Amino acid sequence: MDLLPAEIASITRRHGFRSLKLLNVHMDEALSEEPYGVEYGSLDNGLHYYVRVNSKPRMRAALALGVKVGSVLEVEEERGVAHIVEHLAFSATKKYTNHDIVKFLESIGAEFGACQNASTSADETIYELLVPVDKPELLSQAISVLAEFSSEVRVSASDLEKERGAVLEEYRGGRNAAGRMQEAHWVLMMEGSRYADRQPIGLEKVIRTVSPETVKGFYDKWYHLHNMAVVAVGDFPDTKSVVELIRTHFGQKVSASIEPPVIPVFPVPSHEEPRFSCFVESEAGGSAVMISCKIPVFEMKTVKDYRDSLAEAMFHCALSQRLFKIARRKDPPFFSCGSAADVLIRPVKACIVTSTCKEGGIIEALESMLLEVARVRLHGFSEREISVVRALMMSEIESAYLERDQMQSTSLRDEYLQHFFRKEPVVGIEYEAQLQKTILPHISAKEVSSFAENFRSTCSCVIKIVEPRARSTIEDLKAAVSKISSMEECGAIPDWDDEHIPEEIVSVKPDPGDIVQQTSFPNVGVTELVMSNGMRVCYKCTDFLDDQVLFTGFSYGGLSELSESEYLSCSMGSTIAGEIGVFGYKPSILMDMLAGKRAEVGTKVGAYLRTFSGDCSPSDLETALQLVYQLFTTNVVPGDEEVKIVMQMTEEAILAQERDPFTAFANRVRELNYGNSYFFKPIRVPDLRKVDPIRACEYFNNCFKDPSTFTVVIVGNIDPAIALPLILQFLGGIPKPAEPVLHCNRDDLKGLPFTFPETIVREVVRSPMVEAQCSVQLTFPVELKNVQMMEEIHFVGFVSKLLETKIMQVLRFKHGQIYSVSVSVFLGGNKPSRTGNVRGDIAVNFSCDPDSSWKLVDISLDEILCLQEKGPSQEDVSTILEIEQRAHENGLQENHYWLDRILRSYQSRVYSCDLGASFEAQDEGRSKVRECLNPSTAQLASQRILPFPCTSQYSVVVLMPQSSRIRFLKSLLQSAQNRTGTEAKILTGIGGAIVVAVTLWRYFRSSLKS
C-alpha cells in the first residue's frame, strides 16, 4: 500500500532515506482520502478515473477497468456467470468479434495472458492491459477496448458456446487436489455466509447450460458505470490528454440499467466456538495444518490505523521468524511454518498460521503452532526480536523510498484499484517513508505482542488439517487446543530462549587481491577485471533501479561429470549443505545476522554449470560479497541431526510426488523422450538409503572452492569507487587452492545421456485419481546445426512462439476446447561446447477433456503441418515480431535482462575472451533473423527446426484417469459426468512446502485469470 497526505512538504529527490526528517504527527490525524500523485475524478455518467504519468517502463501504459461486481452477487442459477462475462469480453463486443480484441492487442505487442488479461473474484472483476504508447493512436485504441468491456460485451448464443469449453477447462483445472482442499477450506471459513457457495468458478451445470439471456441479464444489471473505474498509469506527456481520451471513449456510454444498482453487503458471521476439519486428500502434496482466525476489515483512516497496521505486520514477521527457527531445530515438529494476515473478501480478513509436516505428525505440529502463539501472549516478544523485525521493515521502506521514481506502472495501477475497491489510502511514498521512520522506533514489543490475541480459539477460529491418509480426528484436534489452553492458563509455558547471534559475517577480513588485467567493452557498457586469484569479474553500472545490484557467478562442470555411482549422493549435496549452512552459519542464525540488510545469495549445481547468484541493495553490497567469500571458504560438514531432517523432508516430498498423478506423467515423458538414464530417473525412497552425506557435502564444497574457474557478472546501481575495493577484498581475496579443483574445459564436458525416439510414439499414462485429470505433451526432437548457430537460436524462439500462437488460436479460439497452451524449448541435450550441433526438443503442453484429447492432438499436428507446408500469414509473422520487439524494449530497462544477456555472451559458443565481440554476434544474429523473417523464411525455419513433415517423428503422452470398476458403477448410478483438469501443482520442493499452504490462502482472493 502506498500511503500519503495531500499537502506534503516537497522532499528533495537527491536526499537519501537517512536524511529524511521525522514527522510531528498526532495519532488521530486523518490520512488524506484523495489519492496522491494522480488525476482523479468521475464523468457525468458515474465512471471514476485515475490517471498518472509514470515512465517505468518507458513508452508503456498500464491500464485497467475495475468493476465492483463479483461472484457473490450471483443468484443460484447464475453461479459462475460473473466469470463467464469476463471471458466473453475478450471474445466479442459491439465493435469486435471472434476474439478480434486479442488479435488487435497482440498485433501491437500486448501478448495474451502477459499483457492482456482479466480476473474475477468474489467481490470484483478487473480487466488489465499493458500496451505500448509510442504511437499516438495506440493509447486511444486501448482505452476504447476497455470502454467496450464496460457496456458493450456481446452475449449471443454462438459467442457463449465458443467460450464454454475454455471456462469448463478452467473449471476442470481446479478440480485437482489443491482445488479440492481450497474449496473445502473456503466453505468452512465462510460458513453461514453468501460467500460460502459463491466461488468465482461457479457450478459445472451452470457453465454447461446457462442461457445467453441469463448471462446478458447479469451483465446488464450489475455492469453500471457508477460501479466502475478506469486506471491509466504510463509514460504519457501529460494527464489531461489521457483524461480527454477517457472522456471521449467512455463519456457517451450508457449503462443498461438507468439507476446504479446498490451493491449489497453480505456479512460473514463470527463464532466463538472454533471450527475443525480433517480433510483427507489422497493426492495431497503432504500433511498440512492451517489455523485461521477471521476479523472484520476496518478502513484505514488515521495515523493510528496506519500505526496499528505496522504493528500487526511486525507481529506476523516476528512470529514467522520464531517458527522458522523451530523448523530447524532437532526433531522439528514441522518442516516449514509461517504467519500472515490477508484480506479474504470485502468485509473480512484473516490471521493465518500454516505449516507442513511429516505424515502422522499433524497433532505435534498443531500443538507447536498453538504453543508459540500462547507463548507470545504470556511472555511477549523480546526486545531483540522486535529490533530485528524493525530493522527488516526499515530496510524495506528505505528501498521503496530510494526507488520511488522507478516504480512499475503496473504496481501503481494496482494501488489505485485498491483505492477504488477498498478505499485504501494512497498518500505517496515520500510521506509513507517519513511516517514509518517516525513511528517504527516507538512501536514496543508489548504493542506487537498484543496481536497474538487475534489467534484466540474464540476469535472466529478455524482449524483445518490435510492428510493423504486419515490419521487424526476432530477429537484429536480439540484435545490439542484444550491441552495448550490449559498450559497457558496455568502459566506452564516458559519464555522464548534466543540463540546467540555473532556480530560479523566474516570474522577475519581477507587481504584484497590485485587486478592483473582490466578491459572495457564500450558496446556493452561494461568493465572486465581479471584478479590475482584468477576470478574474472565483469560489472555494468545502470540507473534502472536505485536500490538494486544483481550478480551471478558461474563455472563450467556440473552433475553431468559424475559417474552413476556418485550421482545420487552428489545431487543431494546442495540440499544437505543448504540445511547445515553454506555461508558458515545455520540458516536460522544467518537470518538474524542479515536483519535490516537487503542481501541474498543462493547457489545452484546444474548439469553443466555451477552458479551462485545474488540480489542486494548498493549499500549492502559488502554484505552480499561477504556471503560469497564465506561460500568459498566454508567447509560444510554434515551433522547427524541436519542430515536426518533433510532425509525426512526429502522422503515426504518423494511420497507426495508418488501420490500426484502428474508426477507419473512427467516421469514417463522424461523417460520416453530422454532415455532411461540414471540422470533422468526420479529418486525413490529406497534410493535415499544409498546417499552418502559426507560425499554429498564434499562435492558441494568442491563446487565452490576454486575462484579461478569462475566468471562473475555484476549489474546495477554500482559506484565503482565504492564497489571495486569490496570486489577486490571479498572476491579477489578468496584463496586459490594449491591444486585446481573442478577445473573443467567446456569443450571436454560430458553431454547428458539424451536419446529421443526415432519413430512416432503415442502413449497413454493411466494414474489413480480422485477426479479425472487429463494432460497432453506433444514433443518434437530438435537438432540445430553448428553453421549459423546464432541465427538458428533466434529462429527457434520465433518458431516456438508461432506454434504457441497458432495452436492457441485453433484449440481455444476456434474450437473452444482448452484454457491455455504452452510451448517450451529445451536445448540442453549435449555439452555446451564451441563446436558440434545443439540437440534438444520443443514441447507443446495443454490440458483438456479426456474424451477430446486425441482429437486435439491430431488438430495440433495438422496445424503444425499446415505451418510447415503453407507457412504462416504475414499477420502472424508481424504479430510475433511485434511481441518480441516489445519484450526486448522492456527488457532493456531491466537489470535482470542485462545480466542474462551478458551471461549468455560469456557462455556463447563464439566467445573467445572478447565479450564485446560475443555480445555483438548475438545482437547481429537477432537483427538478421528479424530482418529476414517473413512467411516464407518462417515456413522454412519450421521445416528445418522440427522434423519435416512433423508427423514423421514425435512423441505424445496423454495422462488419463485409471479405470475403476467401482467408480464406473457409481458413475452409472449417479449419472455423473467425469471432470478433468490441468495446472495441478507438482509439489517437488522441500523447503518450499510452505508456499503450498499460503497458496491455499491466495485462493480466498479467488481471482480467476482469463
Side-chain angles (χ1 to χ4, degrees), residues 505-533:
I505 293 174
V506 179
S507 55
V508 179
K509 300 294 190 293
D511 294 328
D514 299 316
I515 298 174
V516 298
Q517 182 180 323
Q518 180 168 330
T519 312
S520 295
F521 298 102
N523 63 324
V524 193
V526 303
T527 300
E528 181 186 83
L529 313 172
V530 178
M531 296 184 292
S532 50
N533 62 0

PDB file of all heavy atoms in Angstrom, residues 505-533:
ATOM      1  N   ILE A 505      29.806 -11.293   9.826  1.00  0.00           N
ATOM      2  CA  ILE A 505      29.706 -12.439   8.919  1.00  0.00           C
ATOM      3  C   ILE A 505      31.097 -12.998   8.650  1.00  0.00           C
ATOM      4  O   ILE A 505      31.330 -14.205   8.717  1.00  0.00           O
ATOM      5  CB  ILE A 505      29.016 -12.026   7.604  1.00  0.00           C
ATOM      6  CG1 ILE A 505      27.547 -11.658   7.874  1.00  0.00           C
ATOM      7  CG2 ILE A 505      29.102 -13.145   6.564  1.00  0.00           C
ATOM      8  CD1 ILE A 505      26.820 -11.108   6.677  1.00  0.00           C
ATOM      9  N   VAL A 506      32.049 -12.113   8.332  1.00  0.00           N
ATOM     10  CA  VAL A 506      33.443 -12.510   8.113  1.00  0.00           C
ATOM     11  C   VAL A 506      34.245 -12.039   9.318  1.00  0.00           C
ATOM     12  O   VAL A 506      34.434 -10.831   9.507  1.00  0.00           O
ATOM     13  CB  VAL A 506      34.006 -11.896   6.810  1.00  0.00           C
ATOM     14  CG1 VAL A 506      35.467 -12.297   6.629  1.00  0.00           C
ATOM     15  CG2 VAL A 506      33.181 -12.343   5.615  1.00  0.00           C
ATOM     16  N   SER A 507      34.663 -12.980  10.131  1.00  0.00           N
ATOM     17  CA  SER A 507      35.328 -12.601  11.386  1.00  0.00           C
ATOM     18  C   SER A 507      36.728 -12.037  11.145  1.00  0.00           C
ATOM     19  O   SER A 507      37.161 -11.107  11.837  1.00  0.00           O
ATOM     20  CB  SER A 507      35.404 -13.810  12.316  1.00  0.00           C
ATOM     21  OG  SER A 507      36.031 -14.896  11.670  1.00  0.00           O
ATOM     22  N   VAL A 508      37.438 -12.592  10.178  1.00  0.00           N
ATOM     23  CA  VAL A 508      38.778 -12.087   9.826  1.00  0.00           C
ATOM     24  C   VAL A 508      38.748 -11.653   8.372  1.00  0.00           C
ATOM     25  O   VAL A 508      38.578 -12.483   7.474  1.00  0.00           O
ATOM     26  CB  VAL A 508      39.857 -13.176  10.038  1.00  0.00           C
ATOM     27  CG1 VAL A 508      41.230 -12.626   9.650  1.00  0.00           C
ATOM     28  CG2 VAL A 508      39.858 -13.665  11.477  1.00  0.00           C
ATOM     29  N   LYS A 509      38.882 -10.366   8.145  1.00  0.00           N
ATOM     30  CA  LYS A 509      38.786  -9.833   6.785  1.00  0.00           C
ATOM     31  C   LYS A 509      39.981 -10.307   5.954  1.00  0.00           C
ATOM     32  O   LYS A 509      41.132 -10.265   6.399  1.00  0.00           O
ATOM     33  CB  LYS A 509      38.758  -8.299   6.809  1.00  0.00           C
ATOM     34  CG  LYS A 509      37.572  -7.720   7.585  1.00  0.00           C
ATOM     35  CD  LYS A 509      36.236  -8.031   6.908  1.00  0.00           C
ATOM     36  CE  LYS A 509      35.087  -7.253   7.526  1.00  0.00           C
ATOM     37  NZ  LYS A 509      34.778  -7.641   8.906  1.00  0.00           N
ATOM     38  N   PRO A 510      39.736 -10.754   4.724  1.00  0.00           N
ATOM     39  CA  PRO A 510      40.838 -11.240   3.874  1.00  0.00           C
ATOM     40  C   PRO A 510      41.654 -10.082   3.303  1.00  0.00           C
ATOM     41  O   PRO A 510      41.175  -8.952   3.210  1.00  0.00           O
ATOM     42  CB  PRO A 510      40.101 -11.984   2.761  1.00  0.00           C
ATOM     43  CG  PRO A 510      38.773 -11.292   2.661  1.00  0.00           C
ATOM     44  CD  PRO A 510      38.428 -10.889   4.074  1.00  0.00           C
ATOM     45  N   ASP A 511      42.876 -10.393   2.921  1.00  0.00           N
ATOM     46  CA  ASP A 511      43.691  -9.412   2.219  1.00  0.00           C
ATOM     47  C   ASP A 511      43.153  -9.253   0.807  1.00  0.00           C
ATOM     48  O   ASP A 511      42.835 -10.258   0.144  1.00  0.00           O
ATOM     49  CB  ASP A 511      45.149  -9.870   2.154  1.00  0.00           C
ATOM     50  CG  ASP A 511      45.791  -9.918   3.537  1.00  0.00           C
ATOM     51  OD1 ASP A 511      45.394  -9.083   4.379  1.00  0.00           O
ATOM     52  OD2 ASP A 511      46.649 -10.793   3.760  1.00  0.00           O
ATOM     53  N   PRO A 512      43.033  -8.021   0.303  1.00  0.00           N
ATOM     54  CA  PRO A 512      42.489  -7.820  -1.048  1.00  0.00           C
ATOM     55  C   PRO A 512      43.383  -8.436  -2.115  1.00  0.00           C
ATOM     56  O   PRO A 512      44.605  -8.518  -1.953  1.00  0.00           O
ATOM     57  CB  PRO A 512      42.447  -6.294  -1.185  1.00  0.00           C
ATOM     58  CG  PRO A 512      42.532  -5.763   0.199  1.00  0.00           C
ATOM     59  CD  PRO A 512      43.345  -6.756   0.973  1.00  0.00           C
ATOM     60  N   GLY A 513      42.774  -8.867  -3.197  1.00  0.00           N
ATOM     61  CA  GLY A 513      43.516  -9.316  -4.355  1.00  0.00           C
ATOM     62  C   GLY A 513      43.925  -8.140  -5.212  1.00  0.00           C
ATOM     63  O   GLY A 513      43.605  -6.980  -4.914  1.00  0.00           O
ATOM     64  N   ASP A 514      44.581  -8.432  -6.297  1.00  0.00           N
ATOM     65  CA  ASP A 514      45.021  -7.396  -7.242  1.00  0.00           C
ATOM     66  C   ASP A 514      44.333  -7.584  -8.577  1.00  0.00           C
ATOM     67  O   ASP A 514      43.882  -8.679  -8.926  1.00  0.00           O
ATOM     68  CB  ASP A 514      46.543  -7.475  -7.450  1.00  0.00           C
ATOM     69  CG  ASP A 514      47.310  -7.254  -6.154  1.00  0.00           C
ATOM     70  OD1 ASP A 514      46.929  -6.318  -5.417  1.00  0.00           O
ATOM     71  OD2 ASP A 514      48.255  -8.018  -5.888  1.00  0.00           O
ATOM     72  N   ILE A 515      44.270  -6.487  -9.331  1.00  0.00           N
ATOM     73  CA  ILE A 515      43.780  -6.558 -10.707  1.00  0.00           C
ATOM     74  C   ILE A 515      44.973  -6.824 -11.615  1.00  0.00           C
ATOM     75  O   ILE A 515      45.916  -6.032 -11.661  1.00  0.00           O
ATOM     76  CB  ILE A 515      43.087  -5.240 -11.113  1.00  0.00           C
ATOM     77  CG1 ILE A 515      41.874  -4.974 -10.221  1.00  0.00           C
ATOM     78  CG2 ILE A 515      42.668  -5.294 -12.584  1.00  0.00           C
ATOM     79  CD1 ILE A 515      41.230  -3.615 -10.459  1.00  0.00           C
ATOM     80  N   VAL A 516      44.942  -7.941 -12.333  1.00  0.00           N
ATOM     81  CA  VAL A 516      46.050  -8.258 -13.244  1.00  0.00           C
ATOM     82  C   VAL A 516      45.715  -7.908 -14.683  1.00  0.00           C
ATOM     83  O   VAL A 516      46.609  -7.848 -15.532  1.00  0.00           O
ATOM     84  CB  VAL A 516      46.430  -9.758 -13.135  1.00  0.00           C
ATOM     85  CG1 VAL A 516      46.908 -10.088 -11.739  1.00  0.00           C
ATOM     86  CG2 VAL A 516      45.270 -10.658 -13.531  1.00  0.00           C
ATOM     87  N   GLN A 517      44.429  -7.676 -14.940  1.00  0.00           N
ATOM     88  CA  GLN A 517      44.026  -7.274 -16.300  1.00  0.00           C
ATOM     89  C   GLN A 517      42.705  -6.532 -16.218  1.00  0.00           C
ATOM     90  O   GLN A 517      41.806  -6.953 -15.489  1.00  0.00           O
ATOM     91  CB  GLN A 517      43.888  -8.498 -17.205  1.00  0.00           C
ATOM     92  CG  GLN A 517      43.515  -8.178 -18.646  1.00  0.00           C
ATOM     93  CD  GLN A 517      43.409  -9.456 -19.486  1.00  0.00           C
ATOM     94  OE1 GLN A 517      44.183 -10.392 -19.301  1.00  0.00           O
ATOM     95  NE2 GLN A 517      42.454  -9.482 -20.386  1.00  0.00           N
ATOM     96  N   GLN A 518      42.557  -5.429 -16.937  1.00  0.00           N
ATOM     97  CA  GLN A 518      41.319  -4.667 -16.960  1.00  0.00           C
ATOM     98  C   GLN A 518      41.000  -4.289 -18.402  1.00  0.00           C
ATOM     99  O   GLN A 518      41.856  -3.771 -19.121  1.00  0.00           O
ATOM    100  CB  GLN A 518      41.447  -3.405 -16.104  1.00  0.00           C
ATOM    101  CG  GLN A 518      40.178  -2.557 -16.081  1.00  0.00           C
ATOM    102  CD  GLN A 518      40.209  -1.477 -15.007  1.00  0.00           C
ATOM    103  OE1 GLN A 518      40.848  -1.650 -13.965  1.00  0.00           O
ATOM    104  NE2 GLN A 518      39.522  -0.373 -15.245  1.00  0.00           N
ATOM    105  N   THR A 519      39.752  -4.575 -18.818  1.00  0.00           N
ATOM    106  CA  THR A 519      39.332  -4.321 -20.196  1.00  0.00           C
ATOM    107  C   THR A 519      37.957  -3.692 -20.193  1.00  0.00           C
ATOM    108  O   THR A 519      37.085  -4.098 -19.413  1.00  0.00           O
ATOM    109  CB  THR A 519      39.283  -5.636 -21.012  1.00  0.00           C
ATOM    110  OG1 THR A 519      40.487  -6.367 -20.801  1.00  0.00           O
ATOM    111  CG2 THR A 519      39.091  -5.349 -22.497  1.00  0.00           C
ATOM    112  N   SER A 520      37.767  -2.715 -21.063  1.00  0.00           N
ATOM    113  CA  SER A 520      36.439  -2.101 -21.231  1.00  0.00           C
ATOM    114  C   SER A 520      35.848  -2.541 -22.554  1.00  0.00           C
ATOM    115  O   SER A 520      36.555  -2.672 -23.566  1.00  0.00           O
ATOM    116  CB  SER A 520      36.551  -0.574 -21.187  1.00  0.00           C
ATOM    117  OG  SER A 520      36.986  -0.144 -19.922  1.00  0.00           O
ATOM    118  N   PHE A 521      34.535  -2.761 -22.553  1.00  0.00           N
ATOM    119  CA  PHE A 521      33.809  -3.104 -23.775  1.00  0.00           C
ATOM    120  C   PHE A 521      32.692  -2.085 -23.947  1.00  0.00           C
ATOM    121  O   PHE A 521      31.578  -2.262 -23.422  1.00  0.00           O
ATOM    122  CB  PHE A 521      33.243  -4.524 -23.675  1.00  0.00           C
ATOM    123  CG  PHE A 521      34.303  -5.584 -23.533  1.00  0.00           C
ATOM    124  CD1 PHE A 521      34.572  -6.152 -22.300  1.00  0.00           C
ATOM    125  CD2 PHE A 521      35.047  -5.995 -24.625  1.00  0.00           C
ATOM    126  CE1 PHE A 521      35.549  -7.119 -22.146  1.00  0.00           C
ATOM    127  CE2 PHE A 521      36.036  -6.964 -24.491  1.00  0.00           C
ATOM    128  CZ  PHE A 521      36.292  -7.528 -23.257  1.00  0.00           C
ATOM    129  N   PRO A 522      32.973  -0.979 -24.652  1.00  0.00           N
ATOM    130  CA  PRO A 522      32.005   0.129 -24.760  1.00  0.00           C
ATOM    131  C   PRO A 522      30.678  -0.270 -25.388  1.00  0.00           C
ATOM    132  O   PRO A 522      29.639   0.281 -25.038  1.00  0.00           O
ATOM    133  CB  PRO A 522      32.752   1.151 -25.642  1.00  0.00           C
ATOM    134  CG  PRO A 522      34.199   0.796 -25.506  1.00  0.00           C
ATOM    135  CD  PRO A 522      34.244  -0.678 -25.333  1.00  0.00           C
ATOM    136  N   ASN A 523      30.701  -1.244 -26.314  1.00  0.00           N
ATOM    137  CA  ASN A 523      29.435  -1.623 -26.965  1.00  0.00           C
ATOM    138  C   ASN A 523      28.485  -2.324 -26.002  1.00  0.00           C
ATOM    139  O   ASN A 523      27.287  -2.417 -26.247  1.00  0.00           O
ATOM    140  CB  ASN A 523      29.702  -2.504 -28.184  1.00  0.00           C
ATOM    141  CG  ASN A 523      30.371  -3.820 -27.833  1.00  0.00           C
ATOM    142  OD1 ASN A 523      31.199  -3.884 -26.932  1.00  0.00           O
ATOM    143  ND2 ASN A 523      30.010  -4.872 -28.553  1.00  0.00           N
ATOM    144  N   VAL A 524      29.019  -2.829 -24.899  1.00  0.00           N
ATOM    145  CA  VAL A 524      28.178  -3.465 -23.879  1.00  0.00           C
ATOM    146  C   VAL A 524      28.029  -2.544 -22.667  1.00  0.00           C
ATOM    147  O   VAL A 524      27.097  -2.694 -21.883  1.00  0.00           O
ATOM    148  CB  VAL A 524      28.781  -4.818 -23.436  1.00  0.00           C
ATOM    149  CG1 VAL A 524      27.763  -5.626 -22.625  1.00  0.00           C
ATOM    150  CG2 VAL A 524      29.252  -5.633 -24.624  1.00  0.00           C
ATOM    151  N   GLY A 525      28.947  -1.594 -22.535  1.00  0.00           N
ATOM    152  CA  GLY A 525      28.922  -0.700 -21.377  1.00  0.00           C
ATOM    153  C   GLY A 525      29.412  -1.366 -20.112  1.00  0.00           C
ATOM    154  O   GLY A 525      28.897  -1.098 -19.021  1.00  0.00           O
ATOM    155  N   VAL A 526      30.422  -2.257 -20.252  1.00  0.00           N
ATOM    156  CA  VAL A 526      30.907  -2.998 -19.093  1.00  0.00           C
ATOM    157  C   VAL A 526      32.415  -2.844 -18.958  1.00  0.00           C
ATOM    158  O   VAL A 526      33.124  -2.490 -19.902  1.00  0.00           O
ATOM    159  CB  VAL A 526      30.564  -4.506 -19.189  1.00  0.00           C
ATOM    160  CG1 VAL A 526      29.080  -4.718 -19.350  1.00  0.00           C
ATOM    161  CG2 VAL A 526      31.330  -5.164 -20.324  1.00  0.00           C
ATOM    162  N   THR A 527      32.893  -3.140 -17.760  1.00  0.00           N
ATOM    163  CA  THR A 527      34.324  -3.233 -17.474  1.00  0.00           C
ATOM    164  C   THR A 527      34.602  -4.634 -16.951  1.00  0.00           C
ATOM    165  O   THR A 527      33.873  -5.146 -16.102  1.00  0.00           O
ATOM    166  CB  THR A 527      34.743  -2.194 -16.427  1.00  0.00           C
ATOM    167  OG1 THR A 527      34.455  -0.886 -16.922  1.00  0.00           O
ATOM    168  CG2 THR A 527      36.231  -2.302 -16.135  1.00  0.00           C
ATOM    169  N   GLU A 528      35.669  -5.241 -17.479  1.00  0.00           N
ATOM    170  CA  GLU A 528      36.026  -6.600 -17.084  1.00  0.00           C
ATOM    171  C   GLU A 528      37.362  -6.589 -16.351  1.00  0.00           C
ATOM    172  O   GLU A 528      38.320  -5.938 -16.784  1.00  0.00           O
ATOM    173  CB  GLU A 528      36.112  -7.503 -18.317  1.00  0.00           C
ATOM    174  CG  GLU A 528      36.452  -8.946 -18.000  1.00  0.00           C
ATOM    175  CD  GLU A 528      36.671  -9.768 -19.261  1.00  0.00           C
ATOM    176  OE1 GLU A 528      37.789  -9.733 -19.825  1.00  0.00           O
ATOM    177  OE2 GLU A 528      35.708 -10.442 -19.682  1.00  0.00           O
ATOM    178  N   LEU A 529      37.407  -7.305 -15.234  1.00  0.00           N
ATOM    179  CA  LEU A 529      38.618  -7.415 -14.437  1.00  0.00           C
ATOM    180  C   LEU A 529      39.016  -8.880 -14.334  1.00  0.00           C
ATOM    181  O   LEU A 529      38.158  -9.759 -14.192  1.00  0.00           O
ATOM    182  CB  LEU A 529      38.398  -6.878 -13.019  1.00  0.00           C
ATOM    183  CG  LEU A 529      37.695  -5.526 -12.851  1.00  0.00           C
ATOM    184  CD1 LEU A 529      37.416  -5.282 -11.370  1.00  0.00           C
ATOM    185  CD2 LEU A 529      38.551  -4.410 -13.433  1.00  0.00           C
ATOM    186  N   VAL A 530      40.304  -9.139 -14.400  1.00  0.00           N
ATOM    187  CA  VAL A 530      40.828 -10.451 -14.029  1.00  0.00           C
ATOM    188  C   VAL A 530      41.696 -10.220 -12.803  1.00  0.00           C
ATOM    189  O   VAL A 530      42.619  -9.390 -12.823  1.00  0.00           O
ATOM    190  CB  VAL A 530      41.646 -11.094 -15.158  1.00  0.00           C
ATOM    191  CG1 VAL A 530      42.212 -12.429 -14.693  1.00  0.00           C
ATOM    192  CG2 VAL A 530      40.784 -11.296 -16.400  1.00  0.00           C
ATOM    193  N   MET A 531      41.372 -10.938 -11.721  1.00  0.00           N
ATOM    194  CA  MET A 531      42.060 -10.699 -10.451  1.00  0.00           C
ATOM    195  C   MET A 531      43.160 -11.723 -10.216  1.00  0.00           C
ATOM    196  O   MET A 531      43.253 -12.738 -10.922  1.00  0.00           O
ATOM    197  CB  MET A 531      41.041 -10.696  -9.316  1.00  0.00           C
ATOM    198  CG  MET A 531      40.045  -9.537  -9.461  1.00  0.00           C
ATOM    199  SD  MET A 531      38.879  -9.402  -8.090  1.00  0.00           S
ATOM    200  CE  MET A 531      37.892 -10.869  -8.320  1.00  0.00           C
ATOM    201  N   SER A 532      43.960 -11.453  -9.232  1.00  0.00           N
ATOM    202  CA  SER A 532      45.156 -12.260  -8.981  1.00  0.00           C
ATOM    203  C   SER A 532      44.836 -13.707  -8.622  1.00  0.00           C
ATOM    204  O   SER A 532      45.680 -14.591  -8.801  1.00  0.00           O
ATOM    205  CB  SER A 532      45.998 -11.608  -7.876  1.00  0.00           C
ATOM    206  OG  SER A 532      45.200 -11.296  -6.746  1.00  0.00           O
ATOM    207  N   ASN A 533      43.632 -13.973  -8.128  1.00  0.00           N
ATOM    208  CA  ASN A 533      43.258 -15.368  -7.842  1.00  0.00           C
ATOM    209  C   ASN A 533      42.622 -16.049  -9.042  1.00  0.00           C
ATOM    210  O   ASN A 533      42.144 -17.183  -8.933  1.00  0.00           O
ATOM    211  CB  ASN A 533      42.334 -15.450  -6.624  1.00  0.00           C
ATOM    212  CG  ASN A 533      41.010 -14.714  -6.839  1.00  0.00           C
ATOM    213  OD1 ASN A 533      40.771 -14.135  -7.899  1.00  0.00           O
ATOM    214  ND2 ASN A 533      40.168 -14.724  -5.819  1.00  0.00           N
TER     215      ASN A 533
END
